[in-house]
């Protein structure tokens, strides 16, 4: 019942999470605040997927705005009866929340794979994913981080930003899932 009454609160939480996902993903394009690596395409593959900008960002932002609009009491009536209007809004809310689960889940998976793969950096062997065969083991092998010579501090940069993106998309996933559960319960109650 508490989730039902605070549905718009949950939808409102998606807006800052989506905006932060966009900002943090953009930061991945500029290691150490420099655009030279983005200009020469010396960035990891997962950065070019735009999942932080598109899926965890713009798509979640659009979903949040639509969900907030649906939850407003001044919503345009689709039918002549109030029960039809509530059923329609519940159904649309469930569909949008499920899309939110899909978008944020996809983003969370891609960010995790990017963190496991490691950064694309210059080492003694040239530009490569030097940690790709460690299955994420490089995350605790601090001395190995010095093998990446360019861009400076790229390992720390990627670990911090990708961890933030995983947390943001994970929170989005939880919020969207919490939106599905009470909406599905309400919708099933209305059809009985």
């Amino acid at each position: 019942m508490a989730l039902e009454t605070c549905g718009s609160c949950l939808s409102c939480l998606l807006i800052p999470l989506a905006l932060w996902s966009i900002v943090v993903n953009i930061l991945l394009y500029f290691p150490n605040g420099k655009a030279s690596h983005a200009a020469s395409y010396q960035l990891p593959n997962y950065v070019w997927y735009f999942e932080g900008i598109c899926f965890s960002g713009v798509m979640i932002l659009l979903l949040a705005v639509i969900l907030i609009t649906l939850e407003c009491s001044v919503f345009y009536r689709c039918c002549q009866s109030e029960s039809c209007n509530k059923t329609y809004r519940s159904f649309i809310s469930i569909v949008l929340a499920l899309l939110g689960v899909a978008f944020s889940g996809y983003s969370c998976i891609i960010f995790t794979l990017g963190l496991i793969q490691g950064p694309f950096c210059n080492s003694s062997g040239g530009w490569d994913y030097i940690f790709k065969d460690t299955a994420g083991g490089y995350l605790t092998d601090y001395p190995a981080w010095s093998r990446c010579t360019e861009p400076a501090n790229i390992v720390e940069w990627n670990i911090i930003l990708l961890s933030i993106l995983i947390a943001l998309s994970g929170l989005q996933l939880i919020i969207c899932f919490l939106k599905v559960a009470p909406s599905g319960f309400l919708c099933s109650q209305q059809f009985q």
Side-chain angles (χ1 to χ4, degrees):
M1 190 67 164
L3 286 176
E4 175 188 339
T5 59
C6 194
S8 61
C9 299
L10 291 174
S11 299
C12 289
L13 286 174
L14 289 172
I15 292 174
L17 292 173
L19 293 174
W20 275 110
S21 289
I22 293 169
V23 169
V24 174
N25 198 82
I26 289 172
L27 288 174
L28 280 172
Y29 287 95
F30 306 105
N32 296 325
K34 298 177 184 171
S36 59
H37 299 288
S40 59
Y41 299 103
Q42 294 170 333
L43 294 172
N45 290 335
Y46 54 84
V47 172
W48 297 111
Y49 293 155
F50 301 109
E51 70 280 343
I53 295 172
C54 292
F55 294 101
S56 269
V58 175
M59 297 306 287
I60 293 291
L61 192 62
L62 288 172
L63 288 174
V65 169
I66 296 170
L67 283 168
I68 291 168
T69 304
L70 282 173
E71 292 158 356
C72 287
S73 59
V74 292
F75 184 74
Y76 180 77
R77 297 181 86 157
C78 71
C79 303
Q80 297 300 320
S81 70
E82 185 64 30
S83 64
C84 175
N85 191 24
K86 285 181 182 179
T87 304
Y88 174 74
R89 289 185 349 189
S90 294
F91 175 73
I92 297 297
S93 293
I94 291 170
V95 171
L96 292 173
L98 286 172
L99 282 172
V101 168
F103 293 149
S104 56
Y106 168 76
S107 296
C108 195
I109 290 168
I110 295 296
F111 296 138
T112 304
L113 291 174
L115 188 62
I116 291 169
Q117 181 184 28
F120 185 70
C121 63
N122 194 7
S123 64
S124 59
W127 287 90
D128 196 14
Y129 296 97
I130 61 172
F131 301 117
K132 67 181 174 195
D133 296 327
T134 66
Y138 78 96
L139 294 168
T140 56
D141 188 10
Y142 308 117
W145 294 3
S146 61
R147 291 174 42 201
C148 280
T149 57
E150 186 184 2
N153 303 316
I154 188 65
V155 178
E156 294 90 340
W157 183 265
N158 277 7
I159 290 173
I160 291 169
L161 293 180
L162 287 172
S163 297
I164 291 171
L165 287 167
I166 290 169
L168 290 172
S169 61
L171 287 171
Q172 290 172 346
L173 184 68
I174 291 168
I175 289 170
C176 289
F177 181 74
L178 289 175
K179 297 278 301 165
V180 170
S183 295
F185 175 74
L186 288 175
C187 198
S188 68
Q189 291 297 320
Q190 290 173 356
F191 287 119
Q192 291 181 350

